[in-house]
Amino acid sequence: MRAAAEVRAAAVAAASALMALGLPACGDAAPQVAGPPARDAASPLGPRVVRRIEPADLLPADLDLVVRVDVARMRDGLGQAASDELARRALDEVPDEALESALQRADVVWLGLRLADLEEGDRVVVLEGRMAGLTPDPGRWEPARAAQDGVAVFDRRGGVAGSRADTARIIALGDRAVALVSAVEVSSVARVLRDGPDARRGDPAAEGLVSLDLHARRLPPYLARRFPSIGALVAGVARVRAVASLHDEGVRLDVELVGVDAAGAGRARRFLEVLRDNVEDVRYADLMKELSIEQVESTVRLRWLFPAPLVLALLSGRSPG
């Protein structure tokens, strides 16, 4: 029983670290349309492509970080309490009254963010699972026109008066999934509903407890001039994909960092090696020894094992034994 508890604690800690993973990046400018997209007389009323919409298709490409949380797998491997805690950590910054009830029904959750506007909260949350009977409060939400069969759309009555991170639109894909869309992303999500999914959208692997896909972008010019070394490091990275998975010995983190070329990948590899090899705090020394780093052409692969006893010691503040 104690070993199982240790593995569960390790899973929560390591997967939470995965959710915070990502090199400094800057997204493109956010779309400025905060309401439903305008139509002219020549615009088609229906979707341009008639197809089955998959939940992850609702994530537009302007959201450069997408995190996937496999809630059902966590329930099976970690138990209800640990899985609920980890899912809530993943969505901790999403201020929405509709989230709690949808999360209890979800098997998989996707969270799409734009790193350049992380504090503002531009995001799309998609929850896939048993959503039958889940309906928005009619006092706060009003039905809007949906251009595709099997899709229901609800807009917040009176618009969004508070933070731009507040949900402005709810989209239901039948009984399969629910999407909570912040105000700035309403136009982008309406576009992918009409035209089909973006080719370059974030697409985390359907593996492990938590996975992510980050499309890295250059630092803004003023930051690149102020921090040229970091600017060069970030400019050399094109994409980061990672998976945290549960194993008998603890939690393993697998990361694939793709450089724009071999030189860019090499800069990232050397930076990570310096971090690994120069940790002086003895509490983290054993943990850093578990980090494997290798480069193959323009790709850097990391494998990091979080042993359950070590993670428990780190969480409790004790020195690892």
Side-chain angles (χ1 to χ4, degrees), residues 67-297:
V67 179
R68 180 185 186 274
V69 183
D70 196 319
V71 183
R73 186 171 291 172
M74 287 194 297
R75 291 190 188 112
D76 292 340
L78 305 177
Q80 185 72 46
S83 64
D84 287 349
E85 179 182 353
L86 186 52
R88 287 189 176 92
R89 288 189 187 187
L91 301 171
D92 187 50
E93 300 301 323
V94 181
D96 197 279
E97 70 280 357
L99 182 61
E100 187 68 24
S101 56
L103 184 58
Q104 293 174 358
R105 300 163 174 256
D107 294 325
V108 179
V109 178
W110 287 269
L111 173 61
L113 302 166
R114 186 184 305 102
L115 289 187
D117 300 299
L118 199 58
E119 293 184 0
E120 287 78 4
D122 298 342
R123 48 90 187 144
V124 175
V125 183
V126 184
L127 304 100
E128 181 180 12
R130 303 163 302 280
M131 300 299 169
L134 184 65
T135 57
D137 179 357
R140 297 186 178 186
W141 300 91
E142 58 184 351
R145 181 174 182 177
Q148 189 148 338
D149 291 340
V151 177
V153 178
F154 302 87
D155 287 333
R156 185 183 292 273
R157 294 186 183 276
V160 177
S163 167
R164 79 190 228 183
D166 292 340
T167 296
R169 173 168 287 184
I170 296 176
I171 299 173
L173 303 182
D175 296 338
R176 299 180 293 127
V178 172
L180 310 178
V181 185
S182 66
V184 173
E185 291 302 315
V186 164
S187 179
S188 295
V189 175
R191 173 181 53 76
V192 297
L193 267 176
R194 184 186 70 237
D195 299 345
D198 287 339
R200 296 191 69 257
R201 66 173 175 81
D203 187 22
E207 302 172 7
L209 303 176
V210 182
S211 56
L212 68 78
D213 186 5
L214 167 66
H215 289 263
R217 306 179 192 272
R218 292 176 178 268
L219 289 179
Y222 75 95
L223 286 178
R225 289 193 296 268
R226 186 175 179 182
F227 306 104
S229 297
I230 296 177
L233 176 67
V234 173
V237 176
R239 192 174 191 179
V240 179
R241 305 190 78 190
V243 175
S245 52
L246 185 63
H247 296 265
D248 290 340
E249 62 273 24
V251 172
R252 193 179 75 201
L253 182 63
D254 292 283
V255 182
E256 183 177 84
L257 187 154
V258 180
V260 295
D261 52 28
R267 288 194 293 271
R269 174 184 56 78
R270 290 190 293 273
F271 174 78
L272 292 168
E273 289 173 341
V274 168
L275 288 181
R276 179 192 62 187
D277 299 337
N278 290 275
V279 173
E280 297 181 355
D281 193 324
V282 294
R283 294 176 299 173
Y284 300 98
D286 289 342
L287 180 60
M288 297 306 293
K289 290 178 183 177
E290 298 291 340
L291 175 58
S292 168
I293 305 171
E294 64 174 357
Q295 179 180 353
V296 179
E297 297 181 348

